[in-house]
Amino acid sequence: REFHTLPLPDPLPIDGEEPEEISACSDYTDPGARAHRGRTDLSGNVEEQSDLDTRRPGDYTITYTVTYRGRTAHATRTVTVRD
């Protein structure tokens, strides 16, 4: 019997806007990213990395990564903090 691993979507689908723009010193809730392989929901396995500082104006990148059975998929979101 032969099994085929379905590929992960790359880039991952992200929720919310891309890019996003917010005002400095405002609260920001990252809407996140989703990951599925076939019917398997891997969204809880998505890791997020970011240097976002809502107190400092500038462009920031949020990177989402998920690895499943040796396969990795990524997505990025740009968040611009305006003064």
Side-chain angles (χ1 to χ4, degrees):
R1 199 169 184 194
E2 190 174 321
F3 292 93
H4 297 281
T5 302
L6 296 174
L8 290 170
D10 194 13
L12 297 172
I14 60 175
D15 297 324
E17 299 296 318
E18 169 40 29
E20 278 198 80
E21 189 172 302
I22 62 172
S23 298
C25 297
S26 64
D27 290 333
Y28 177 74
T29 302
D30 181 13
R34 293 171 277 122
H36 291 84
R37 189 196 118 311
R39 295 183 187 179
T40 305
D41 185 358
L42 304 171
S43 299
N45 297 39
V46 175
E47 295 180 11
E48 173 190 319
Q49 285 188 315
S50 172
D51 61 351
L52 178 62
D53 184 348
T54 60
R55 298 168 295 165
R56 302 174 89 175
D59 293 328
Y60 297 90
T61 301
I62 300 172
T63 302
Y64 306 96
T65 306
V66 66
T67 301
Y68 181 74
R69 293 188 177 178
R71 297 175 185 258
T72 302
H74 306 277
T76 59
R77 177 193 321 275
T78 301
V79 178
T80 299
V81 177
R82 297 270 183 229
D83 198 9

